[in-house]
Amino acid sequence: MSPAPTDRRALVAVDLGAESCRVSLLRWSDGKAEIQLVHRFLNGPIERETGLHWPLAKIIDGVEEGLRKCAPLAPEGVRSIAIDGWAVDYVRLDENGQALAEPFCYRDERNVRAEVELHKRISALRMREITGIEQLPLNTLYQLYADRLSGTPEARWLNLPEYLLARWGAEPVAEFTNATHTQLVDMDSRNWSREIFREAGLNIELAAKIVPPGTLLGKLQGPLAQLPVFADTELIAPACHDTASAIAGIPAAGDDWAYISSGTWSLVGTVTSLPVDGPNVREDSFSNLGGVGNMNCFHKNVNGMWLMKQCQNAWAALGHEPSISDLLHDAEHEPVPQMLLDVDEPDLLRVGEMPQRINRQLVAKGSQPLDEAPTNAPAFTALIMHSLARRYAETLTRIQKHTGKVIRRIYIVGGGSQNTFLNRLTAEATGFAVHRGSPESSTIGNFAVQLATLESELPASSMEFAHAVREWSLHLNPPS
């Protein structure tokens, strides 16, 4: 791989987030890549009469505004655009490929009933055997079944990143990493499960063709393509799921490393060549999800900074609003807690009253509750950080047992990678070297997949392609 491509046109990466969306521009200067965040806008679901929905028009307008802002910054032209984002939610399409309605948000309550009703037709155990992933009511399968229960007419559908690409002229596809989050993919064949579609009464012909990350989908069309910089722009399916994209942005070689995608929630896992499954894996609720180069992301959902956010909301309601950086600084000077939390206890996943929920668990464990006065926030913070680090260590121990790997390094990516206190506690709890990745690792991974696609002739589903992506990630995000 050359240090820089011969085609020095710019690249654009779009990251759709449930709280904010970003449009970033990569340009070349003296053979080095320079990445600039060009546009960011807030996002969030909106309660409508029909339920909780995403404001699709606002998302489209925000992303396209970002692309227009890129135009004057890249007079050399834009070579390609790729989009990653959150998984599971989808847009239903009419016969012309236009959106029939705003997409539902995965948090909508309709999914709870759909999960219960669907498991009367196909058991949770059988579903797990086929897909190899943790079953969550937010998964696409339950949402599609909720459509069926409500009498909504069947229609073609695309997940959000693939929908935006198709809107701009791309071939309508289901990108592999995103597809594996639908709970509709057979982990062995790595294609749509005909059994699940049949048992759920869903039409498999309405699902798009699954393609690997790194697939060229056609040229940008429509009004944006009238801008000179976008006159010859390729549309690429990256790792459309943002976590898979973030993992692709980790420039790690070898087989002795694990990752923690750290944010509101934590995904603790490692990359394997094949899915890992069995009764013990299922009992531990690990998932096998798609990765770049047909690799497998074997990980578990663990609670994360959700606990802190909920505590901060509770303290803010009482007029106490310290910054997270101040809380973490003060927490480092607190004594080590004698009793730690089970951070994945269902009660701690709920909204509101988090200090009270934490104390209820402490009391149930036979420990003294913490003073809930906002001035005692550093003690709560210390308890949460120590508890998360222990949970990470427990999860990594199980990962080694299930995969047979010997882990020596952890790469922490996402917004939580900047939490030096938690990083230190994680290193102490695990005994592993902790490397802080980029907080924008999904953007790095997005660009790396684009470059590997454009600069190599490797099959996108090959391990060699995964290696090429890693090399580009290293070029874009060299060790400090």
Side-chain angles (χ1 to χ4, degrees), residues 87-88 133 140 157 159 162 174-186 190-192 208-211 240-241 289-290:
V88 305
I133 72 170
T140 309
W157 53 273
N159 290 115
E162 294 94 323
E175 185 277 319
F176 175 60
T177 69
N178 236 4
T180 57
H181 284 75
T182 64
Q183 205 173 311
L184 287 159
V185 171
D186 184 304
R190 303 195 176 188
N191 210 331
W192 298 122
K209 176 182 68 175
I210 296 178
V211 301
C240 282
H241 184 236
L289 295 161

Side-chain angles (χ1 to χ4, degrees), residues 305-317:
M305 294 302 286
W306 164 261
L307 296 164
M308 281 303 306
K309 182 63 175 176
Q310 289 296 301
C311 282
Q312 287 179 280
N313 288 347
W315 298 325

Side-chain angles (χ1 to χ4, degrees), residues 101-234:
E102 288 184 320
F104 275 96
C105 173
Y106 58 85
R107 291 187 183 275
D108 191 83
E109 290 295 325
R110 71 192 190 125
N111 305 333
V112 177
R113 174 175 172 246
E115 181 184 30
V116 172
E117 293 299 319
L118 181 56
H119 286 167
K120 294 176 182 178
R121 300 170 63 108
I122 179 171
S123 71
L125 175 59
R126 180 58 185 150
M127 197 93 70
R128 169 73 205 209
E129 289 172 346
I130 296 170
T131 63
I133 72 170
E134 184 179 6
Q135 293 162 52
L136 301 168
L138 53 81
N139 289 342
T140 309
L141 168 61
Y142 299 117
Q143 297 197 51
L144 289 168
Y145 197 67
D147 286 344
R148 186 174 183 274
L149 291 176
S150 69
T152 302
E154 285 190 315
R156 291 187 299 128
W157 53 273
L158 294 173
N159 290 115
L160 265 293
E162 294 94 323
Y163 165 73
L164 281 179
L165 287 167
R167 175 184 170 83
W168 297 333
E171 176 189 358
V173 298
E175 185 277 319
F176 175 60
T177 69
N178 236 4
T180 57
H181 284 75
T182 64
Q183 205 173 311
L184 287 159
V185 171
D186 184 304
M187 70 172 167
D188 294 322
S189 71
R190 303 195 176 188
N191 210 331
W192 298 122
S193 167
R194 291 191 174 276
E195 179 179 344
I196 293 177
F197 273 88
R198 182 181 67 251
E199 294 301 320
L202 301 174
N203 186 351
I204 197 170
E205 300 303 322
L206 297 176
K209 176 182 68 175
I210 296 178
V211 301
T215 299
L216 291 165
L217 300 176
K219 300 283 188 179
L220 179 68
Q221 300 175 28
L224 287 168
Q226 302 307 308
L227 297 173
V229 298
F230 293 124
D232 189 34
T233 300
E234 296 280 1

Side-chain angles (χ1 to χ4, degrees), residues 288-362:
N288 294 279
L289 295 161
V292 167
N294 212 29
M295 299 298 282
N296 182 66
C297 299
F298 179 72
H299 62 225
K300 180 178 177 64
N301 287 289
V302 174
N303 210 333
M305 294 302 286
W306 164 261
L307 296 164
M308 281 303 306
K309 182 63 175 176
Q310 289 296 301
C311 282
Q312 287 179 280
N313 288 347
W315 298 325
L318 298 173
H320 188 67
E321 300 186 58
S323 68
I324 186 64
S325 57
D326 288 342
L327 288 170
L328 292 171
H329 176 271
D330 293 343
E332 289 201 66
H333 302 287
E334 290 286 322
V336 176
Q338 296 301 303
M339 179 69 72
L340 297 180
L341 299 169
D342 173 4
V343 296
D344 290 328
E345 181 186 75
D347 193 46
L348 298 189
L349 305 178
R350 300 181 186 278
V351 176
E353 301 182 336
M354 190 58 71
Q356 292 78 15
R357 295 180 190 280
I358 287 172
N359 271 336
R360 282 201 294 269
Q361 186 180 132
L362 290 176

Side-chain angles (χ1 to χ4, degrees), residues 395-432:
T395 304
L396 288 162
T397 296
R398 301 301 293 171
I399 286 172
Q400 292 183 100
K401 179 177 177 60
H402 293 316
T403 64
K405 285 189 176 188
V406 177
I407 302 296
R408 295 186 176 89
R409 298 172 288 159
I410 307 170
Y411 286 83
I412 301 180
V413 297
S417 65
Q418 306 305 297
N419 187 337
T420 55
F421 180 34
L422 181 55
N423 291 350
R424 175 174 65 79
L425 294 178
T426 300
E428 293 171 356
T430 61
F432 304 147

